[in-house]
Amino acid sequence: MTPPASLKLASHEGRAAEAAPGPEAALAIRGLTVSYGQTPAVFSADATFPARTMSAIVGPNGAGKSTLLKAALGVIPRVSGEVTAFGRPVAEARERIAYVPQRASVDWDFPATAGDVVLMGLYRRMGLLGRVTGAHRRTVRACLGRVGMADFEGRQIGELSGGQQQRVFLARALAQGADLYLLDEPFAGVDAATERAIIDVLKALRDEGRAVVAVHHDLSTVTRYFEHVLMLNVRPVAEGPVETAFTAEALDATYGGRLAATHMDSLILATA
Amino acid sequence: MDTLISALLLQAGYNAALVGIGAALLGVASGAAGTFLVLRKRALVSDAVAHATLPGVGLAFVAMVALGGDGRALAGLLAGSALSAWVGLLAVEWMTRRTRLPEDAAIGAVLSVFFGLGIVILTLIQTMSAGRQAGLEDFLLGATAGMLFSDAAMIAVGGAVAVALVWALRRPMTLVAFDAEYAAATGTDVRRVDLAMMALVMGVTVIGLKLVGLVLIVALLIIPPVTARFWTERSGRMVWGAAALGGASGYLGAAISASAPALPTGPIIVLVAAALFALSLLFAPARGVLAAMLRQRRFQARVHRRQGLLALARSEPILEPYTIRVLVAEGLLRRDGVATEAGRAEAARIARDEKRWEVAREIHRDAALTGRYDGLTPIDAVFTADEIAEFDRRLGPPMPVGGMA
Ligand SMILES: Nc1ncnc2c1ncn2[C@@H]1O[C@H](COP(=O)(O)OP(=O)(O)OP(=O)(O)O)[C@@H](O)[C@H]1O
Ligand SMILES: [Mg+2]
């Protein structure tokens, strides 16, 4: 299938300069269908997450948000569709993409400290045989510092609280030094102060010119945190700038009328 | 005893020395390779792989005889065992990926089917080639009697290759073992890394067949890593710790079995590894059972001491017998429940510490500092003397406890 013209213009490096003004796509998804067994979890999804922007993916439980991210990254196979990052296939743009899974399914008793986990974000750059240098250690410390976890570098990963673990995984993604950050529910189960800290880090990334795409459940903060939104319920319901796409009708369609109208009004009013 | 010492010094004869060195090298290789197996939680797959070697051994023998060879050439037998182990591994892989069978069921199926098949083939060989004892049953539990220099050299070379591979693949293997989804997201081919890890394990199994046998090799792959885990919280150190423990078990076990007739080498090596495991389980400083118990007791005593002293400071009666015992043991309380001079002084000090914390929490909104208030940490462990002096200015002069300071 041929990508729409806007996508061609959006491709990364060099060509962007000659293109007409328009948002450069950090992540472009075309006709993505993913299924576990015979029922599609994501069906024919199109989405264009612009560069230098904070984007949210919202939708009810089981809407396929995690599936969309994982399939975009190639963690799970896709039935159809193509995914490009900065105009290139994802497989060729790996070093520019960082991923923070939803409540990482890791072995919490694994013999690794918080610092070791963050160092994993540098494995790609170190290669198989490269040594861990002082510069790598400084990067690890700086990334832990950015998420307010500097004091926990030597702590075994299982001895951290859930919110602290979440921040360590964010630090691991930061260590990758990527241009596109995909986060699956970075605010799940974290306290208000931690949420504040994480959103500050993400906004700083955006201000540095990087793209952030986060699965987000708290509808009341969508308009405050994000500029771009994809509303998903197996199929994409609406996508675009928050001001135009995050509407009562779209919410109603996404959540299948399960949100009370009064509640929705308060969400949309928050936009103004 | 003398024979044990001479065996340890490699002075118990040529064969014993070869076995000792071979067992040590095998232990190093299996400890290092086994670490990632344990971290990936696939320890039992290696058991299936080990049992799946048996048909290969038998078929290789038949093939070599059919080709007019001796049939007992070790290289040929091991090649055959590797081949059938690989088939077994792929069978487990395929069943877990393509069917709804859980991995443990797939492991059980492959293990028993391959082992049964192997026994049948071995039995047929024995009845058909009567008179020409193949000695193939040695591969079940290992045998060291006829160990040749070339056997030891093969273990040395194979072990060195295995250790080098562990070193080269340690990063992808760590990544996959810790967080396979993230590994895949960063472009690591998880399935290839898993297969490489299992190939490594298979290699170690094959070179260990002759020495410890296929039934017990899994112990050498698993016990040293879990023993090492008691001593470290870092995966890198765990690898080398497991290698060292595996090497020590192999060497020590071989020496012990050489020191007395009729002590089977493989099982003794496994028992030595198990003994090291038991020692670590009990006595390791951070994760050992005894250390944990001691830590728990000490912590409990600290809690009771502090609570008791705070009760004294508020002139409340102390009711809990354990609290009384702790305070009496320190000479802070008399047996009749009345505080001693030292007890009153300590109570006043603790009460002041508590008050200082209260002020600290009011002044410092910084959660990182005041968050360390847990009721036990003394305030001077967190704040500087100047800051404490400031708290004291706000608190006023200290109050004595019990009226007669
Ligand atoms: N490993 C799996 N095997 C089979 N079905 C799955 C698997 N993972 C998810 N699904 C199904 O796919 C659908 C989408 O799941 P997904 O995890 O992507 O939802 P989500 O939008 O991330 O939900 P949540 O908000 O709960 O995280 C769900 O209906 C779920 O039941
Ligand atoms: Mg999800």
Side-chain angles (χ1 to χ4, degrees), chain B residues 7-363:
Chain B
L8 281 174
L9 298 172
L10 297 177
Q11 302 295 314
Y14 180 65
N15 178 262
L18 278 186
V19 172
I21 293 172
L25 294 173
L26 176 67
V28 169
S30 61
T35 300
F36 289 100
L37 194 66
V38 169
L39 289 179
R40 185 82 171 110
K41 307 223 180 313
R42 305 194 72 200
L44 282 181
V45 181
S46 70
D47 207 19
V49 167
H51 282 78
T53 56
L54 197 55
V57 171
L59 291 175
F61 179 84
V62 172
M64 284 190 287
V65 170
L67 292 173
D70 174 17
R72 276 175 300 182
L74 188 62
L77 295 177
L78 294 189
S81 72
L83 215 64
S84 75
W86 190 246
V87 173
L89 173 64
L90 291 185
V92 172
E93 256 269 301
W94 183 86
M95 273 196 262
T96 29
R97 246 171 356 103
R98 293 288 156 174
T99 71
R100 303 193 72 98
L101 232 59
E103 190 170 52
D104 56 348
I107 289 170
V110 167
L111 186 150
S112 43
V113 168
F114 274 72
F115 190 64
L117 182 66
I119 294 289
V120 168
I121 296 175
L122 254 55
T123 315
L124 286 178
I125 290 173
Q126 249 163 13
T127 46
M128 289 195 311
S129 63
R132 194 164 51 163
Q133 267 305 331
L136 293 186
E137 62 285 348
D138 283 352
F139 284 94
L140 288 178
L141 289 171
T144 50
M147 181 115 163
L148 302 172
F149 179 78
S150 62
D151 300 350
M154 187 204 65
I155 293 179
V157 173
V161 171
V163 171
L165 278 176
V166 169
W167 188 74
L169 295 177
R170 66 198 190 285
R171 278 177 196 149
M173 287 196 298
T174 307
L175 205 55
V176 167
F178 177 63
D179 191 347
E181 189 175 287
Y182 175 81
T186 50
T188 306
D189 188 334
V190 173
R191 189 158 170 263
R192 276 230 320 258
V193 172
D194 271 339
L195 275 182
M197 183 186 78
M198 291 314 301
L200 201 58
V201 164
M202 198 189 73
V204 172
T205 305
V206 166
I207 62 171
L209 277 187
K210 182 83 198 246
L211 208 59
V212 274
L214 62 90
V215 176
L216 287 178
I217 187 77
V218 64
L220 269 192
L221 284 163
I222 296 172
I223 299 177
V226 295
T227 308
R229 182 67 181 91
F230 279 108
W231 299 89
T232 179
E233 300 284 0
R234 315 287 296 271
S235 58
R237 289 178 199 161
M238 188 174 155
V239 175
W240 307 126
L245 285 162
S249 309
Y251 195 74
L252 216 62
I256 291 173
S257 85
S259 68
L263 281 183
T265 310
I268 295 284
I269 291 174
V270 171
L271 288 181
V272 170
L276 291 176
F277 169 79
L279 287 177
S280 306
L281 172 89
L282 288 175
F283 301 113
R287 297 174 66 92
V289 173
L290 287 182
M293 255 163 60
L294 269 180
R295 250 197 329 271
Q296 182 58 30
R297 284 194 62 119
R298 237 181 270 137
F299 174 75
Q300 212 173 3
R302 271 177 70 205
V303 170
H304 281 264
R305 178 184 194 273
R306 179 124 182 160
Q307 282 177 341
L309 287 170
L310 284 175
L312 282 186
R314 290 192 296 263
S315 311
E316 288 165 8
I318 301 172
L319 298 177
E320 259 195 84
Y322 182 66
T323 315
I324 296 172
R325 275 213 306 284
V326 168
L327 293 181
V328 168
E330 261 195 79
L332 300 172
L333 196 71
R334 290 206 320 246
R335 237 161 255 288
D336 55 14
V338 177
T340 63
E341 186 94 10
R344 280 196 300 275
E346 189 61 11
R349 205 178 64 73
I350 296 285
R352 182 135 191 103
D353 190 68
E354 196 77 5
K355 286 228 181 68
R356 283 167 168 172
W357 267 113
E358 262 166 43
V359 179
R361 287 209 302 277
E362 260 168 46
I363 303 178

Side-chain angles (χ1 to χ4, degrees), chain A residues 35 81 198 221 272:
Chain A
S35 79
I198 292 178
T221 48

Side-chain angles (χ1 to χ4, degrees), chain A residues 58-222:
Chain A
V58 300
N61 288 136
K65 306 179 294 296
S66 302
T67 304
L68 179 92
L69 285 190
K70 283 189 230 171
L73 284 161
V75 175
I76 51 178
R78 42 187 187 250
V79 178
S80 71
E82 58 182 68
V83 182
T84 55
F86 304 103
R88 282 156 59 213
V90 165
E92 293 169 23
R94 292 263 181 229
E95 62 285 356
R96 300 187 66 186
I97 308 174
Y99 171 56
V100 183
Q102 176 178 15
R103 265 303 122 107
S105 52
V106 307
D107 165 16
W108 294 112
D109 198 38
F110 197 88
T113 61
D116 292 339
V117 173
V118 177
L119 191 67
M120 289 178 193
L122 294 169
Y123 277 4
R124 228 189 129 77
R125 243 186 286 163
M126 282 190 273
L128 285 183
L129 305 179
R131 296 183 62 83
V132 179
T133 63
H136 293 136
R137 295 226 170 73
R138 280 192 294 280
T139 307
V140 166
R141 223 159 294 145
C143 292
L144 278 170
R146 273 185 91 169
V147 298
M149 291 289 293
D151 291 342
F152 295 87
E153 189 180 348
R155 193 76 82 82
Q156 199 266 330
I157 182 75
E159 292 169 0
L160 300 172
S161 78
Q164 290 169 336
Q165 287 161 351
Q166 191 81 352
R167 284 193 267 170
V168 170
F169 288 111
L170 179 59
R172 176 175 68 177
L174 292 178
Q176 284 179 251
D179 296 319
L180 167 62
Y181 286 81
L182 303 179
L183 306 103
D184 200 343
E185 299 193 24
F187 307 117
V190 304
D191 65 26
T194 305
E195 177 160 337
R196 195 68 252 157
I198 292 178
I199 199 72
D200 286 345
V201 170
L202 298 183
K203 288 200 161 145
L205 287 174
R206 191 256 332 262
D207 295 342
E208 289 165 17
R210 304 166 204 262
V212 175
V213 178
V215 174
H216 193 59
H217 267 305
D218 182 0
L219 297 176
S220 67
T221 48
V222 168

